């Protein structure tokens, strides 16, 4: 069961990043017959970092989250990882996305190792909303909204003509045209 309000959140990173990590809250299963409110469940949930992964089928939590939330295993399933297939325990959790975009009071997740985060948000959640990443002006901007409201087709949008970065000479102390924020001499202008 998904409790969704048409809301969105956006995260801006000061440079181009190769991983989208946002805060989320995770807690034990909130039973439908429970007397606690969604606000109370949110307050009891543990705040942690989540890595958004469009290559993952399901949402995954680490052993740290399992221990902090006192979760009880519901079963075992095969889990495909970059290192092959292994058996993984499954748990029912409550998951809350940033900005109260959505709450999942009974989400089935797997246990696994995640580098740099405690939760991995998979396509089981991403596919329910609109997911967009852009890198304008050397920054990464990530935005997510639920429920999904439109299809994106960048082919139908007019192309913006950008100046050719090769058309002018880049000075050694100018910002590097790659968008790293470093001076050209300390980035792509290094000599061997």
């Amino acid at each position: 069961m998904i409790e969704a309000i048409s809301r969105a959140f956006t995260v801006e990173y000061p440079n181009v990043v190769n991983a989208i990590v946002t805060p989320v809250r995770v807690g034990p299963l909130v039973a439908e017959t429970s007397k606690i409110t969604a606000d109370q469940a949110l307050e009891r949930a543990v705040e942690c970092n989540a890595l958004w992964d469009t290559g993952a089928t399901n949402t995954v939590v680490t052993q740290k989250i399992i221990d902090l939330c006192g979760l009880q295993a519901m079963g075992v399933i095969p889990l495909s990882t970059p290192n092959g297939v292994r058996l993984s325990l499954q748990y029912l959790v409550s998951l809350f996305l940033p900005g109260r975009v959505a709450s999942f009071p009974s989400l089935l997740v797997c246990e696994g190792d995640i580098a740099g985060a405690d939760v991995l948000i998979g396509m089981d959640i991403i596919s329910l909303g609109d997911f967009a990443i852009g890198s304008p002006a050397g920054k990464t901007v990530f935005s997510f909204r639920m429920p999904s409201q439109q299809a994106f087709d960048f082919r139908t949008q007019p192309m913006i003509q950008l100046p050719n970065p090769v058309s002018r000479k880049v000075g050694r102390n100018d910002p590097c045209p790659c968008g790293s924020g470093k001076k050209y001499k300390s980035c792509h202008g290094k000599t061997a």
Side-chain angles (χ1 to χ4, degrees):
M1 174 178 171
I2 300 168
E3 217 179 274
I5 306 166
S6 181
R7 293 192 177 159
F9 71 90
T10 298
V11 178
E12 294 185 26
Y13 300 87
N15 53 356
V16 176
V17 298
N18 63 2
I20 300 299
V21 178
T22 67
V24 295
R25 295 185 75 87
V26 180
L29 172 70
V30 177
E32 302 258 345
T33 58
S34 175
K35 301 276 189 219
I36 69 169
T37 66
D39 286 338
Q40 291 169 327
L42 178 61
E43 287 174 20
R44 294 179 187 178
V46 175
E47 185 168 328
C48 54
N49 286 327
L51 174 67
W52 293 69
D53 187 350
T54 59
T57 304
N58 296 315
T59 297
V60 177
V61 297
T62 61
Q63 186 64 48
K64 174 184 169 185
I65 296 301
I66 293 165
D67 294 342
L68 284 171
C69 296
L71 302 176
Q72 300 298 314
M74 304 295 295
V76 177
I77 63 162
L79 180 66
S80 295
T81 72
N83 298 324
V85 177
R86 69 172 181 84
L87 292 178
S88 174
L89 295 173
Q90 285 187 304
Y91 298 87
L92 276 171
V93 301
S94 296
L95 178 77
F96 304 90
L97 297 182
R100 295 181 162 240
V101 168
S103 62
F104 300 85
S106 59
L107 180 67
L108 191 59
V109 300
C110 300
E111 171 270 326
D113 296 325
I114 307 163
D118 296 311
V119 176
L120 184 140
I121 303 291
M123 288 302 292
D124 55 338
I125 292 176
I126 294 170
S127 64
L128 299 174
D130 294 327
F131 177 95
I133 300 174
S135 297
K139 297 187 230 178
T140 297
V141 179
F142 165 59
S143 194
F144 185 74
R145 147 180 86 192
M146 275 191 67
S148 180
Q149 297 175 20
Q150 76 185 76
F152 294 94
D153 186 350
F154 295 120
R155 298 171 300 172
T156 62
Q157 297 181 0
M159 292 294 289
I160 298 171
Q161 191 65 28
L162 298 174
N164 185 349
V166 181
S167 65
R168 72 169 187 88
K169 185 172 169 128
V170 179
R172 287 179 40 79
N173 289 316
D174 290 342
C176 189
C178 76
S180 68
K182 297 179 182 178
K183 289 184 179 183
Y184 179 69
K185 69 182 179 185
S186 301
C187 193
H188 283 89
K190 286 183 180 179
T191 54

mmCIF file with all atom_site columns, all heavy atoms in Angstrom, residues 45-68:
data_model
loop_
_atom_site.group_PDB
_atom_site.id
_atom_site.type_symbol
_atom_site.label_atom_id
_atom_site.label_alt_id
_atom_site.label_comp_id
_atom_site.label_asym_id
_atom_site.label_entity_id
_atom_site.label_seq_id
_atom_site.pdbx_PDB_ins_code
_atom_site.Cartn_x
_atom_site.Cartn_y
_atom_site.Cartn_z
_atom_site.occupancy
_atom_site.B_iso_or_equiv
_atom_site.pdbx_formal_charge
_atom_site.auth_seq_id
_atom_site.auth_comp_id
_atom_site.auth_asym_id
_atom_site.auth_atom_id
_atom_site.pdbx_PDB_model_num
ATOM 1   N N   . ALA A 1 45 ? 11.067 6.698  12.939  1.00 0.00 ? 45 ALA A N   1
ATOM 2   C CA  . ALA A 1 45 ? 11.948 6.127  11.920  1.00 0.00 ? 45 ALA A CA  1
ATOM 3   C C   . ALA A 1 45 ? 13.351 6.708  12.026  1.00 0.00 ? 45 ALA A C   1
ATOM 4   O O   . ALA A 1 45 ? 13.549 7.821  12.484  1.00 0.00 ? 45 ALA A O   1
ATOM 5   C CB  . ALA A 1 45 ? 11.365 6.381  10.533  1.00 0.00 ? 45 ALA A CB  1
ATOM 6   N N   . VAL A 1 46 ? 14.325 5.943  11.570  1.00 0.00 ? 46 VAL A N   1
ATOM 7   C CA  . VAL A 1 46 ? 15.741 6.314  11.612  1.00 0.00 ? 46 VAL A CA  1
ATOM 8   C C   . VAL A 1 46 ? 16.092 7.075  10.336  1.00 0.00 ? 46 VAL A C   1
ATOM 9   O O   . VAL A 1 46 ? 15.776 6.623  9.234   1.00 0.00 ? 46 VAL A O   1
ATOM 10  C CB  . VAL A 1 46 ? 16.607 5.038  11.700  1.00 0.00 ? 46 VAL A CB  1
ATOM 11  C CG1 . VAL A 1 46 ? 18.083 5.373  11.629  1.00 0.00 ? 46 VAL A CG1 1
ATOM 12  C CG2 . VAL A 1 46 ? 16.277 4.251  12.948  1.00 0.00 ? 46 VAL A CG2 1
ATOM 13  N N   . GLU A 1 47 ? 16.750 8.237  10.482  1.00 0.00 ? 47 GLU A N   1
ATOM 14  C CA  . GLU A 1 47 ? 17.195 8.967  9.294   1.00 0.00 ? 47 GLU A CA  1
ATOM 15  C C   . GLU A 1 47 ? 18.524 8.384  8.825   1.00 0.00 ? 47 GLU A C   1
ATOM 16  O O   . GLU A 1 47 ? 19.412 8.106  9.622   1.00 0.00 ? 47 GLU A O   1
ATOM 17  C CB  . GLU A 1 47 ? 17.366 10.460 9.576   1.00 0.00 ? 47 GLU A CB  1
ATOM 18  C CG  . GLU A 1 47 ? 17.713 11.216 8.309   1.00 0.00 ? 47 GLU A CG  1
ATOM 19  C CD  . GLU A 1 47 ? 17.610 12.717 8.445   1.00 0.00 ? 47 GLU A CD  1
ATOM 20  O OE1 . GLU A 1 47 ? 16.766 13.198 9.217   1.00 0.00 ? 47 GLU A OE1 1
ATOM 21  O OE2 . GLU A 1 47 ? 18.384 13.395 7.757   1.00 0.00 ? 47 GLU A OE2 1
ATOM 22  N N   . CYS A 1 48 ? 18.619 8.161  7.515   1.00 0.00 ? 48 CYS A N   1
ATOM 23  C CA  . CYS A 1 48 ? 19.839 7.599  6.943   1.00 0.00 ? 48 CYS A CA  1
ATOM 24  C C   . CYS A 1 48 ? 19.986 8.059  5.495   1.00 0.00 ? 48 CYS A C   1
ATOM 25  O O   . CYS A 1 48 ? 19.090 8.706  4.956   1.00 0.00 ? 48 CYS A O   1
ATOM 26  C CB  . CYS A 1 48 ? 19.811 6.077  7.026   1.00 0.00 ? 48 CYS A CB  1
ATOM 27  S SG  . CYS A 1 48 ? 18.345 5.339  6.308   1.00 0.00 ? 48 CYS A SG  1
ATOM 28  N N   . ASN A 1 49 ? 21.113 7.739  4.879   1.00 0.00 ? 49 ASN A N   1
ATOM 29  C CA  . ASN A 1 49 ? 21.362 8.103  3.495   1.00 0.00 ? 49 ASN A CA  1
ATOM 30  C C   . ASN A 1 49 ? 20.926 6.990  2.560   1.00 0.00 ? 49 ASN A C   1
ATOM 31  O O   . ASN A 1 49 ? 21.159 5.816  2.837   1.00 0.00 ? 49 ASN A O   1
ATOM 32  C CB  . ASN A 1 49 ? 22.850 8.401  3.271   1.00 0.00 ? 49 ASN A CB  1
ATOM 33  C CG  . ASN A 1 49 ? 23.254 9.721  3.858   1.00 0.00 ? 49 ASN A CG  1
ATOM 34  O OD1 . ASN A 1 49 ? 22.464 10.657 3.890   1.00 0.00 ? 49 ASN A OD1 1
ATOM 35  N ND2 . ASN A 1 49 ? 24.481 9.821  4.328   1.00 0.00 ? 49 ASN A ND2 1
ATOM 36  N N   . ALA A 1 50 ? 20.321 7.396  1.435   1.00 0.00 ? 50 ALA A N   1
ATOM 37  C CA  . ALA A 1 50 ? 19.867 6.433  0.440   1.00 0.00 ? 50 ALA A CA  1
ATOM 38  C C   . ALA A 1 50 ? 20.520 6.729  -0.902  1.00 0.00 ? 50 ALA A C   1
ATOM 39  O O   . ALA A 1 50 ? 20.567 7.871  -1.348  1.00 0.00 ? 50 ALA A O   1
ATOM 40  C CB  . ALA A 1 50 ? 18.348 6.486  0.295   1.00 0.00 ? 50 ALA A CB  1
ATOM 41  N N   . LEU A 1 51 ? 21.013 5.688  -1.534  1.00 0.00 ? 51 LEU A N   1
ATOM 42  C CA  . LEU A 1 51 ? 21.587 5.757  -2.871  1.00 0.00 ? 51 LEU A CA  1
ATOM 43  C C   . LEU A 1 51 ? 20.489 5.362  -3.857  1.00 0.00 ? 51 LEU A C   1
ATOM 44  O O   . LEU A 1 51 ? 19.885 4.311  -3.712  1.00 0.00 ? 51 LEU A O   1
ATOM 45  C CB  . LEU A 1 51 ? 22.769 4.786  -2.971  1.00 0.00 ? 51 LEU A CB  1
ATOM 46  C CG  . LEU A 1 51 ? 23.412 4.605  -4.335  1.00 0.00 ? 51 LEU A CG  1
ATOM 47  C CD1 . LEU A 1 51 ? 24.106 5.885  -4.768  1.00 0.00 ? 51 LEU A CD1 1
ATOM 48  C CD2 . LEU A 1 51 ? 24.405 3.456  -4.293  1.00 0.00 ? 51 LEU A CD2 1
ATOM 49  N N   . TRP A 1 52 ? 20.213 6.211  -4.835  1.00 0.00 ? 52 TRP A N   1
ATOM 50  C CA  . TRP A 1 52 ? 19.184 5.942  -5.845  1.00 0.00 ? 52 TRP A CA  1
ATOM 51  C C   . TRP A 1 52 ? 19.837 5.198  -6.996  1.00 0.00 ? 52 TRP A C   1
ATOM 52  O O   . TRP A 1 52 ? 20.813 5.675  -7.574  1.00 0.00 ? 52 TRP A O   1
ATOM 53  C CB  . TRP A 1 52 ? 18.547 7.251  -6.313  1.00 0.00 ? 52 TRP A CB  1
ATOM 54  C CG  . TRP A 1 52 ? 17.751 7.905  -5.229  1.00 0.00 ? 52 TRP A CG  1
ATOM 55  C CD1 . TRP A 1 52 ? 18.235 8.487  -4.088  1.00 0.00 ? 52 TRP A CD1 1
ATOM 56  C CD2 . TRP A 1 52 ? 16.335 8.028  -5.163  1.00 0.00 ? 52 TRP A CD2 1
ATOM 57  N NE1 . TRP A 1 52 ? 17.197 8.972  -3.323  1.00 0.00 ? 52 TRP A NE1 1
ATOM 58  C CE2 . TRP A 1 52 ? 16.022 8.708  -3.966  1.00 0.00 ? 52 TRP A CE2 1
ATOM 59  C CE3 . TRP A 1 52 ? 15.292 7.644  -6.008  1.00 0.00 ? 52 TRP A CE3 1
ATOM 60  C CZ2 . TRP A 1 52 ? 14.716 9.001  -3.589  1.00 0.00 ? 52 TRP A CZ2 1
ATOM 61  C CZ3 . TRP A 1 52 ? 13.991 7.946  -5.633  1.00 0.00 ? 52 TRP A CZ3 1
ATOM 62  C CH2 . TRP A 1 52 ? 13.716 8.612  -4.432  1.00 0.00 ? 52 TRP A CH2 1
ATOM 63  N N   . ASP A 1 53 ? 19.310 4.009  -7.341  1.00 0.00 ? 53 ASP A N   1
ATOM 64  C CA  . ASP A 1 53 ? 19.950 3.140  -8.325  1.00 0.00 ? 53 ASP A CA  1
ATOM 65  C C   . ASP A 1 53 ? 18.931 2.596  -9.320  1.00 0.00 ? 53 ASP A C   1
ATOM 66  O O   . ASP A 1 53 ? 18.162 1.693  -8.994  1.00 0.00 ? 53 ASP A O   1
ATOM 67  C CB  . ASP A 1 53 ? 20.658 1.996  -7.605  1.00 0.00 ? 53 ASP A CB  1
ATOM 68  C CG  . ASP A 1 53 ? 21.503 1.136  -8.527  1.00 0.00 ? 53 ASP A CG  1
ATOM 69  O OD1 . ASP A 1 53 ? 21.417 1.288  -9.757  1.00 0.00 ? 53 ASP A OD1 1
ATOM 70  O OD2 . ASP A 1 53 ? 22.252 0.292  -8.000  1.00 0.00 ? 53 ASP A OD2 1
ATOM 71  N N   . THR A 1 54 ? 18.947 3.137  -10.541 1.00 0.00 ? 54 THR A N   1
ATOM 72  C CA  . THR A 1 54 ? 18.007 2.672  -11.572 1.00 0.00 ? 54 THR A CA  1
ATOM 73  C C   . THR A 1 54 ? 18.374 1.283  -12.080 1.00 0.00 ? 54 THR A C   1
ATOM 74  O O   . THR A 1 54 ? 17.591 0.665  -12.791 1.00 0.00 ? 54 THR A O   1
ATOM 75  C CB  . THR A 1 54 ? 17.959 3.648  -12.770 1.00 0.00 ? 54 THR A CB  1
ATOM 76  O OG1 . THR A 1 54 ? 19.268 3.765  -13.326 1.00 0.00 ? 54 THR A OG1 1
ATOM 77  C CG2 . THR A 1 54 ? 17.434 5.005  -12.334 1.00 0.00 ? 54 THR A CG2 1
ATOM 78  N N   . GLY A 1 55 ? 19.545 0.773  -11.706 1.00 0.00 ? 55 GLY A N   1
ATOM 79  C CA  . GLY A 1 55 ? 19.939 -0.577 -12.106 1.00 0.00 ? 55 GLY A CA  1
ATOM 80  C C   . GLY A 1 55 ? 19.520 -1.637 -11.104 1.00 0.00 ? 55 GLY A C   1
ATOM 81  O O   . GLY A 1 55 ? 19.723 -2.821 -11.331 1.00 0.00 ? 55 GLY A O   1
ATOM 82  N N   . ALA A 1 56 ? 18.928 -1.226 -9.990  1.00 0.00 ? 56 ALA A N   1
ATOM 83  C CA  . ALA A 1 56 ? 18.494 -2.174 -8.961  1.00 0.00 ? 56 ALA A CA  1
ATOM 84  C C   . ALA A 1 56 ? 16.993 -2.415 -9.079  1.00 0.00 ? 56 ALA A C   1
ATOM 85  O O   . ALA A 1 56 ? 16.222 -1.470 -9.208  1.00 0.00 ? 56 ALA A O   1
ATOM 86  C CB  . ALA A 1 56 ? 18.822 -1.627 -7.572  1.00 0.00 ? 56 ALA A CB  1
ATOM 87  N N   . THR A 1 57 ? 16.589 -3.647 -9.020  1.00 0.00 ? 57 THR A N   1
ATOM 88  C CA  . THR A 1 57 ? 15.169 -3.988 -9.126  1.00 0.00 ? 57 THR A CA  1
ATOM 89  C C   . THR A 1 57 ? 14.420 -3.600 -7.858  1.00 0.00 ? 57 THR A C   1
ATOM 90  O O   . THR A 1 57 ? 13.360 -2.990 -7.917  1.00 0.00 ? 57 THR A O   1
ATOM 91  C CB  . THR A 1 57 ? 15.001 -5.504 -9.376  1.00 0.00 ? 57 THR A CB  1
ATOM 92  O OG1 . THR A 1 57 ? 15.755 -5.848 -10.542 1.00 0.00 ? 57 THR A OG1 1
ATOM 93  C CG2 . THR A 1 57 ? 13.552 -5.867 -9.572  1.00 0.00 ? 57 THR A CG2 1
ATOM 94  N N   . ASN A 1 58 ? 14.981 -3.956 -6.706  1.00 0.00 ? 58 ASN A N   1
ATOM 95  C CA  . ASN A 1 58 ? 14.300 -3.742 -5.429  1.00 0.00 ? 58 ASN A CA  1
ATOM 96  C C   . ASN A 1 58 ? 15.111 -2.852 -4.499  1.00 0.00 ? 58 ASN A C   1
ATOM 97  O O   . ASN A 1 58 ? 16.311 -2.688 -4.668  1.00 0.00 ? 58 ASN A O   1
ATOM 98  C CB  . ASN A 1 58 ? 14.060 -5.084 -4.730  1.00 0.00 ? 58 ASN A CB  1
ATOM 99  C CG  . ASN A 1 58 ? 13.134 -5.968 -5.510  1.00 0.00 ? 58 ASN A CG  1
ATOM 100 O OD1 . ASN A 1 58 ? 12.107 -5.521 -5.996  1.00 0.00 ? 58 ASN A OD1 1
ATOM 101 N ND2 . ASN A 1 58 ? 13.500 -7.230 -5.663  1.00 0.00 ? 58 ASN A ND2 1
ATOM 102 N N   . THR A 1 59 ? 14.429 -2.339 -3.495  1.00 0.00 ? 59 THR A N   1
ATOM 103 C CA  . THR A 1 59 ? 15.066 -1.534 -2.459  1.00 0.00 ? 59 THR A CA  1
ATOM 104 C C   . THR A 1 59 ? 15.797 -2.461 -1.492  1.00 0.00 ? 59 THR A C   1
ATOM 105 O O   . THR A 1 59 ? 15.319 -3.549 -1.171  1.00 0.00 ? 59 THR A O   1
ATOM 106 C CB  . THR A 1 59 ? 14.014 -0.668 -1.756  1.00 0.00 ? 59 THR A CB  1
ATOM 107 O OG1 . THR A 1 59 ? 13.471 0.231  -2.730  1.00 0.00 ? 59 THR A OG1 1
ATOM 108 C CG2 . THR A 1 59 ? 14.587 0.128  -0.612  1.00 0.00 ? 59 THR A CG2 1
ATOM 109 N N   . VAL A 1 60 ? 16.962 -2.008 -1.031  1.00 0.00 ? 60 VAL A N   1
ATOM 110 C CA  . VAL A 1 60 ? 17.839 -2.807 -0.174  1.00 0.00 ? 60 VAL A CA  1
ATOM 111 C C   . VAL A 1 60 ? 18.203 -1.983 1.058   1.00 0.00 ? 60 VAL A C   1
ATOM 112 O O   . VAL A 1 60 ? 18.354 -0.763 0.966   1.00 0.00 ? 60 VAL A O   1
ATOM 113 C CB  . VAL A 1 60 ? 19.130 -3.192 -0.948  1.00 0.00 ? 60 VAL A CB  1
ATOM 114 C CG1 . VAL A 1 60 ? 20.095 -3.966 -0.071  1.00 0.00 ? 60 VAL A CG1 1
ATOM 115 C CG2 . VAL A 1 60 ? 18.787 -3.979 -2.212  1.00 0.00 ? 60 VAL A CG2 1
ATOM 116 N N   . VAL A 1 61 ? 18.333 -2.641 2.213   1.00 0.00 ? 61 VAL A N   1
ATOM 117 C CA  . VAL A 1 61 ? 18.796 -1.989 3.446   1.00 0.00 ? 61 VAL A CA  1
ATOM 118 C C   . VAL A 1 61 ? 20.008 -2.747 3.972   1.00 0.00 ? 61 VAL A C   1
ATOM 119 O O   . VAL A 1 61 ? 20.175 -3.935 3.712   1.00 0.00 ? 61 VAL A O   1
ATOM 120 C CB  . VAL A 1 61 ? 17.703 -1.919 4.537   1.00 0.00 ? 61 VAL A CB  1
ATOM 121 C CG1 . VAL A 1 61 ? 16.527 -1.076 4.078   1.00 0.00 ? 61 VAL A CG1 1
ATOM 122 C CG2 . VAL A 1 61 ? 17.238 -3.304 4.954   1.00 0.00 ? 61 VAL A CG2 1
ATOM 123 N N   . THR A 1 62 ? 20.844 -2.050 4.727   1.00 0.00 ? 62 THR A N   1
ATOM 124 C CA  . THR A 1 62 ? 22.034 -2.671 5.316   1.00 0.00 ? 62 THR A CA  1
ATOM 125 C C   . THR A 1 62 ? 21.707 -3.307 6.665   1.00 0.00 ? 62 THR A C   1
ATOM 126 O O   . THR A 1 62 ? 20.657 -3.046 7.268   1.00 0.00 ? 62 THR A O   1
ATOM 127 C CB  . THR A 1 62 ? 23.147 -1.636 5.529   1.00 0.00 ? 62 THR A CB  1
ATOM 128 O OG1 . THR A 1 62 ? 22.659 -0.635 6.438   1.00 0.00 ? 62 THR A OG1 1
ATOM 129 C CG2 . THR A 1 62 ? 23.590 -1.010 4.221   1.00 0.00 ? 62 THR A CG2 1
ATOM 130 N N   . GLN A 1 63 ? 22.636 -4.102 7.148   1.00 0.00 ? 63 GLN A N   1
ATOM 131 C CA  . GLN A 1 63 ? 22.491 -4.726 8.463   1.00 0.00 ? 63 GLN A CA  1
ATOM 132 C C   . GLN A 1 63 ? 22.369 -3.663 9.546   1.00 0.00 ? 63 GLN A C   1
ATOM 133 O O   . GLN A 1 63 ? 21.651 -3.850 10.526  1.00 0.00 ? 63 GLN A O   1
ATOM 134 C CB  . GLN A 1 63 ? 23.678 -5.655 8.744   1.00 0.00 ? 63 GLN A CB  1
ATOM 135 C CG  . GLN A 1 63 ? 23.536 -6.458 10.021  1.00 0.00 ? 63 GLN A CG  1
ATOM 136 C CD  . GLN A 1 63 ? 22.374 -7.433 9.978   1.00 0.00 ? 63 GLN A CD  1
ATOM 137 O OE1 . GLN A 1 63 ? 22.216 -8.168 9.013   1.00 0.00 ? 63 GLN A OE1 1
ATOM 138 N NE2 . GLN A 1 63 ? 21.551 -7.438 11.018  1.00 0.00 ? 63 GLN A NE2 1
ATOM 139 N N   . LYS A 1 64 ? 23.037 -2.532 9.372   1.00 0.00 ? 64 LYS A N   1
ATOM 140 C CA  . LYS A 1 64 ? 22.953 -1.436 10.345  1.00 0.00 ? 64 LYS A CA  1
ATOM 141 C C   . LYS A 1 64 ? 21.499 -0.996 10.528  1.00 0.00 ? 64 LYS A C   1
ATOM 142 O O   . LYS A 1 64 ? 21.030 -0.810 11.660  1.00 0.00 ? 64 LYS A O   1
ATOM 143 C CB  . LYS A 1 64 ? 23.808 -0.257 9.866   1.00 0.00 ? 64 LYS A CB  1
ATOM 144 C CG  . LYS A 1 64 ? 23.694 0.995  10.697  1.00 0.00 ? 64 LYS A CG  1
ATOM 145 C CD  . LYS A 1 64 ? 24.509 2.125  10.073  1.00 0.00 ? 64 LYS A CD  1
ATOM 146 C CE  . LYS A 1 64 ? 24.199 3.449  10.719  1.00 0.00 ? 64 LYS A CE  1
ATOM 147 N NZ  . LYS A 1 64 ? 24.887 4.563  10.051  1.00 0.00 ? 64 LYS A NZ  1
ATOM 148 N N   . ILE A 1 65 ? 20.758 -0.831 9.430   1.00 0.00 ? 65 ILE A N   1
ATOM 149 C CA  . ILE A 1 65 ? 19.355 -0.412 9.504   1.00 0.00 ? 65 ILE A CA  1
ATOM 150 C C   . ILE A 1 65 ? 18.508 -1.512 10.132  1.00 0.00 ? 65 ILE A C   1
ATOM 151 O O   . ILE A 1 65 ? 17.619 -1.239 10.947  1.00 0.00 ? 65 ILE A O   1
ATOM 152 C CB  . ILE A 1 65 ? 18.828 -0.029 8.100   1.00 0.00 ? 65 ILE A CB  1
ATOM 153 C CG1 . ILE A 1 65 ? 19.581 1.185  7.576   1.00 0.00 ? 65 ILE A CG1 1
ATOM 154 C CG2 . ILE A 1 65 ? 17.324 0.215  8.117   1.00 0.00 ? 65 ILE A CG2 1
ATOM 155 C CD1 . ILE A 1 65 ? 19.478 2.432  8.434   1.00 0.00 ? 65 ILE A CD1 1
ATOM 156 N N   . ILE A 1 66 ? 18.781 -2.744 9.777   1.00 0.00 ? 66 ILE A N   1
ATOM 157 C CA  . ILE A 1 66 ? 18.047 -3.888 10.353  1.00 0.00 ? 66 ILE A CA  1
ATOM 158 C C   . ILE A 1 66 ? 18.199 -3.878 11.864  1.00 0.00 ? 66 ILE A C   1
ATOM 159 O O   . ILE A 1 66 ? 17.220 -4.028 12.597  1.00 0.00 ? 66 ILE A O   1
ATOM 160 C CB  . ILE A 1 66 ? 18.551 -5.209 9.740   1.00 0.00 ? 66 ILE A CB  1
ATOM 161 C CG1 . ILE A 1 66 ? 18.177 -5.268 8.253   1.00 0.00 ? 66 ILE A CG1 1
ATOM 162 C CG2 . ILE A 1 66 ? 18.009 -6.416 10.496  1.00 0.00 ? 66 ILE A CG2 1
ATOM 163 C CD1 . ILE A 1 66 ? 18.899 -6.331 7.459   1.00 0.00 ? 66 ILE A CD1 1
ATOM 164 N N   . ASP A 1 67 ? 19.421 -3.675 12.345  1.00 0.00 ? 67 ASP A N   1
ATOM 165 C CA  . ASP A 1 67 ? 19.682 -3.656 13.785  1.00 0.00 ? 67 ASP A CA  1
ATOM 166 C C   . ASP A 1 67 ? 19.048 -2.444 14.464  1.00 0.00 ? 67 ASP A C   1
ATOM 167 O O   . ASP A 1 67 ? 18.408 -2.569 15.512  1.00 0.00 ? 67 ASP A O   1
ATOM 168 C CB  . ASP A 1 67 ? 21.192 -3.668 14.057  1.00 0.00 ? 67 ASP A CB  1
ATOM 169 C CG  . ASP A 1 67 ? 21.858 -4.970 13.619  1.00 0.00 ? 67 ASP A CG  1
ATOM 170 O OD1 . ASP A 1 67 ? 21.150 -5.986 13.433  1.00 0.00 ? 67 ASP A OD1 1
ATOM 171 O OD2 . ASP A 1 67 ? 23.089 -4.961 13.450  1.00 0.00 ? 67 ASP A OD2 1
ATOM 172 N N   . LEU A 1 68 ? 19.215 -1.238 13.872  1.00 0.00 ? 68 LEU A N   1
ATOM 173 C CA  . LEU A 1 68 ? 18.653 -0.019 14.469  1.00 0.00 ? 68 LEU A CA  1
ATOM 174 C C   . LEU A 1 68 ? 17.130 -0.069 14.581  1.00 0.00 ? 68 LEU A C   1
ATOM 175 O O   . LEU A 1 68 ? 16.557 0.452  15.528  1.00 0.00 ? 68 LEU A O   1
ATOM 176 C CB  . LEU A 1 68 ? 19.050 1.214  13.660  1.00 0.00 ? 68 LEU A CB  1
ATOM 177 C CG  . LEU A 1 68 ? 20.482 1.709  13.819  1.00 0.00 ? 68 LEU A CG  1
ATOM 178 C CD1 . LEU A 1 68 ? 20.796 2.797  12.798  1.00 0.00 ? 68 LEU A CD1 1
ATOM 179 C CD2 . LEU A 1 68 ? 20.710 2.232  15.228  1.00 0.00 ? 68 LEU A CD2 1
#
